Amino acid sequence: MISVRDGQNQILAQFTQPTPPELLAVTRARERVLAEDLRAPFDVPPTDNSAVDGYAVASGDVPATGTRELDVVAELHAGALFDGALNPGQAVRIMTGASMPQGADTVYPQEIVERRGGRVSVGPIKKGVNVRMRGEDIQAGTIVVERGTVLRPQELGLTASLGRWQVLVHRRPRVALLSTGDEVVEPGTPRKPGQIYDANRFTLRGAIEQYGGDVVDLGIVPDVREELRARLLEAAEVGDIVVTSGGVSVGVLDLVKDVLAEIGAIDFWQVAMQPGRPLAFGRIKSAHFFGLPGNPVASMLASMLFLRPAIFKLAGRRRLFPEMYQATALEPMSKRAGRREFKRGIVQWRDGRWEARITGPQGSGILSSMTAGNCLIVLEEERGDVAAGDTVLVEPF
Ligand code: AMP
Ligand code: MG
């Protein structure tokens, strides 16, 4: 038996190089992983500019008490520049975002002044207000988005604001995906007695896409040595990673083991976890191989624990593991010490705290326990049974 953490570490140690960078339009880069440090080529904002619609003045013209009349000598729209400099006794009508005229350092909002013809009457105001300073957002030369960052809408906007319309991102890891099993048939085709429809390839496809991988779907392989051999070799040609489900529990284990021994290298692990003990990890030619368990909950869980950090690392991400949060258990939960258990749970905010309960039957074949839930309740190795009111860790999904 190995621990979840040891399994993860052994797997991650095999992923030494991220996928190569590719140039992508910013419009297509959402959710991709930045492969360069993005530096600001100039200050943002590039000039001091007005934060309001109003009148720009030199602070020397701001009266300490009473009011003062200033000549309005120009009208500046956003994007326009004032050539020349402001003289004492002058004001410039200025719109939000317009560059400050030379000599001006304070802006009166239009609501607090009195305009009469070509003159404006102004009162006391704090000197320097309503001006956005050059470089107050970003200074030229600083790194604004770090390599390894997953690009969210705000990073895309920031990138564009620096004048870039393309960015270097890591190529999406390619994952070749197969289901195994004589009993597994394709949805949409007739099902004979004793057969089941493939669930795993669809769960795993969705999961891999969520993790940022590109799925190459290679269908279902029967438990036939030659077929398995041919399909795994084909998979290794197209994928950075090959993922199968099923065929790693005792019974068919020898089939996968024999084939992998022939065409690659493989380790079979018993991971101290529940659900989903068996896991195979190895290599076929230049591809990494993950043999996930066949039970639908176990295969999805194994993908979250072992495949996700591997895809993340291959994709160049900095953070490999999700955040966990603390919640109060609403009910007792059985737990065997010595292994890490993952209950499917429902977590919700109530009465000022996060509360977690279990979705119902927790068998590793009960996929509806996943659809009914919104989190994993993660019970650590050393822990025994959980009592109602105990604190537990949850990982939202
Ligand atoms: P195995 O490890 O191949 O013995 O599979 C364990 C259990 O998972 C068996 O009940 C299989 O029928 C089931 N199973 C295997 N592959 C799939 C799949 N792709 N979709 C749904 N259930 C599966
Ligand atoms: Mg099977």
Side-chain angles (χ1 to χ4, degrees):
M1 284 266 197
I2 65 166
S3 69
V4 170
R5 175 55 52 162
D6 283 349
Q8 288 169 331
N9 287 340
Q10 287 196 45
I11 288 168
L12 288 174
Q14 300 302 312
F15 288 80
T16 48
Q17 285 289 323
T19 53
E22 61 186 4
L23 202 55
L24 218 59
V26 169
T27 48
R28 307 188 60 183
R30 190 172 70 83
E31 291 287 305
R32 298 294 293 265
V33 183
L34 196 62
E36 58 176 327
D37 283 332
L38 218 69
R39 280 176 195 280
F42 48 77
D43 289 327
V44 179
T47 60
D48 295 352
N49 67 91
S50 179
V52 295
D53 293 334
Y55 292 85
V57 305
S59 56
D61 279 336
V62 172
T65 55
T67 59
R68 176 161 189 191
E69 294 247 304
L70 302 171
D71 288 325
V72 180
V73 295
E75 182 161 312
L76 274 187
H77 293 273
L81 290 176
F82 183 68
D83 36 310
L86 210 61
N87 293 317
Q90 295 184 335
V92 164
R93 170 95 172 109
I94 194 166
M95 304 301 164
T96 305
S99 293
M100 291 292 285
Q102 209 188 317
D105 59 7
T106 303
V107 181
Y108 283 93
Q110 61 190 19
E111 299 82 9
I112 67 163
V113 302
E114 191 66 42
R115 175 83 183 253
R116 255 176 263 103
R119 292 171 76 76
V120 67
S121 165
V122 301
I125 194 175
K126 196 160 169 268
K127 295 174 182 181
V129 293
N130 298 321
V131 179
R132 303 172 182 149
M133 303 305 287
R134 168 180 176 161
E136 76 173 19
D137 186 357
I138 301 160
Q139 282 171 1
T142 54
I143 295 176
V144 286
V145 190
E146 257 181 272
R147 173 196 305 266
T149 303
V150 180
L151 299 173
R152 301 170 298 172
Q154 55 269 49
E155 277 87 22
L156 300 178
L158 190 61
T159 304
S161 77
L162 300 176
R164 296 276 302 265
W165 70 281
Q166 293 178 313
V167 279
L168 276 180
V169 296
H170 289 284
R171 172 170 69 64
R172 253 193 246 278
R174 288 191 197 107
V175 183
L177 180 60
L178 294 158
S179 289
T180 73
D182 289 335
E183 79 284 23
V184 181
V185 294
E186 191 68 34
T189 66
R191 181 177 65 94
K192 300 194 193 83
Q195 294 185 320
I196 56 166
Y197 283 124
D198 191 351
N200 295 348
R201 227 167 78 247
F202 298 87
T203 312
L204 292 172
R205 182 193 186 103
I208 292 162
E209 286 174 355
Q210 244 179 19
Y211 308 156
D214 247 346
V215 174
V216 184
D217 188 340
L218 295 178
I220 303 164
V221 207
D223 295 317
V224 176
R225 185 181 305 254
E226 277 318 302
E227 282 246 14
L228 191 60
R229 186 175 183 279
R231 300 285 281 284
L232 286 176
L233 281 172
E234 181 193 347
E237 292 293 317
V238 296
D240 302 306
I241 299 177
V242 174
V243 174
T244 64
S245 68
V248 292
S249 49
V250 262
V252 258
L253 179 147
D254 284 343
L255 192 62
V256 176
K257 196 186 225 166
D258 286 358
V259 170
L260 257 295
E262 230 184 288
I263 62 174
I266 197 168
D267 268 336
F268 273 93
W269 294 338
Q270 294 297 320
V271 185
M273 63 185 271
Q274 169 72 23
R277 225 158 46 141
L279 181 75
F281 176 70
R283 219 160 223 297
I284 308 169
K285 307 207 163 194
S286 63
H288 300 277
F289 173 76
F290 287 79
L292 306 182
N295 280 309
V297 176
S299 68
M300 181 173 184
L301 180 63
S303 87
M304 294 166 76
L305 293 176
F306 302 106
L307 184 58
R308 178 171 56 194
I311 290 177
F312 279 7
K313 190 170 178 196
L314 188 54
R317 289 205 199 202
R318 270 177 296 134
R319 282 189 52 96
L320 303 184
F321 296 101
E323 295 285 356
M324 292 203 275
Y325 304 89
Q326 287 189 333
T328 304
L330 281 183
E331 57 189 338
M333 300 173 196
S334 66
K335 165 69 173 59
R336 195 194 299 165
R339 66 186 191 187
R340 186 168 273 243
E341 293 187 18
F342 300 86
K343 314 277 186 196
R344 275 71 67 207
I346 297 165
V347 64
Q348 71 182 74
W349 180 259
R350 233 188 44 173
D351 299 334
R353 61 180 193 178
W354 289 104
E355 295 179 340
R357 64 199 154 89
I358 288 172
T359 53
Q362 294 286 304
S364 64
I366 301 180
L367 193 51
S368 57
S369 71
M370 278 279 187
T371 61
N374 65 4
C375 72
L376 293 176
I377 299 172
V378 183
L379 304 176
E380 311 90 311
E381 283 78 356
E382 43 313 333
R383 182 156 202 167
D385 286 339
V386 174
D390 284 358
T391 298
V392 292
L393 288 176
V394 298
E395 181 192 318
F397 59 62

